[in-house]
Every structure is written in structure tokens, then in C-alpha cells.
Amino acid sequence: MIPATHEPAEPPQNQQMLELSTRSVGDALVLTAVGEIDLLTVAALRTALYDQLATAPPLLVLDLGGVSFLASCGLAALVEFERAAAEQSVKLRLVSTARSVTRPLQATGLLRTFELFDDVRTALR
């Protein structure tokens, strides 16, 4: 017999590993991610990003300052989303100073692809 990993009334573990919230700032949207972006959580991030893209804001700021782990599948989702946003003339800006985010972006050469800012306020300018 395999023991249960969570009680039926508890939310699945992946929902606890990544928290996503959105707020409007003028014409821009800020999507904040806190937790880990990996195989278990990347679908939730994708869904949140594309839900925001449906409103076609001129600027979408993705705040990754609270992300403690960014897996390659998360990087792939960001690249895919950046292309979709550009097709709809939505500008995407990333926010993070956390090494857990900046290091994978740097190691893969994606710092040339994304606009990376130290804080949300600066990204909104």
C-alpha cells in the first residue's frame, strides 16, 4: 500500500509551491510569482501569463523576485510567452535580483532576450 501524500481536502502540492497574484498599475499589469517554477508548477505560470495576455495590456511586468527556483521548463515557458506577447504588441519585462532567477537567464544567454529590472517600480517606467 502506498501512503497518501496529502489529505483529500488539502490543495495539491504544486499549488503550494508557486503563488501567483496579479494587479493593475495604470495600463500595465504586474504578475507576481513566489515559490518554485518547475515541472509541477510551470503550467500554472503559463496559464496565468496567457490569461493576462488575453487582456492585451501594453506592458506586462513579471515579478520573479520571490522565485527560489527556476527550472529549464520555466525558461522555455518564458521564451514561448515572450514571443506570444510580442506578436500581440505587449511588452514583457522581468523583475528579479535573485540569483535563482538571474543565474539561469545568464547561463542560457536569455539576458539578451528579456528586459530584466531590479524592481517593479523601475520596470513600470
Side-chain angles (χ1 to χ4, degrees):
M1 179 172 353
I2 300 173
T5 56
H6 58 79
E7 294 295 317
E10 289 181 32
Q13 183 117 12
N14 61 341
Q15 290 178 4
Q16 296 172 358
M17 294 172 56
L18 183 65
E19 294 179 27
L20 299 164
S21 60
T22 307
R23 64 185 167 103
S24 295
V25 180
D27 290 342
L29 287 173
V30 177
L31 176 61
T32 301
V34 176
E36 299 177 2
I37 300 174
D38 59 18
L39 280 173
L40 295 175
T41 61
V42 72
L45 176 65
R46 262 196 193 97
T47 298
L49 286 168
Y50 282 96
D51 285 351
Q52 301 315 309
L53 187 59
T55 67
L59 174 62
L60 177 59
V61 175
L62 178 56
D63 182 0
L64 300 171
V67 171
S68 58
F69 180 74
L70 179 58
S72 59
C73 60
L75 293 171
L78 293 176
V79 169
E80 171 191 310
F81 181 76
E82 192 278 331
R83 290 180 183 147
E87 287 176 6
Q88 292 191 27
S89 299
V90 174
K91 185 173 212 87
L92 174 65
R93 294 182 176 165
L94 306 181
V95 173
S96 186
T97 58
R99 185 167 169 79
S100 56
V101 172
T102 60
R103 181 68 181 128
L105 289 171
Q106 182 181 34
T108 57
L110 289 174
L111 283 178
R112 293 185 299 264
T113 301
F114 295 105
E115 289 185 85
L116 184 65
F117 294 83
D118 291 342
D119 58 62
V120 172
R121 189 180 70 213
T122 306
L124 287 168
R125 291 187 189 157

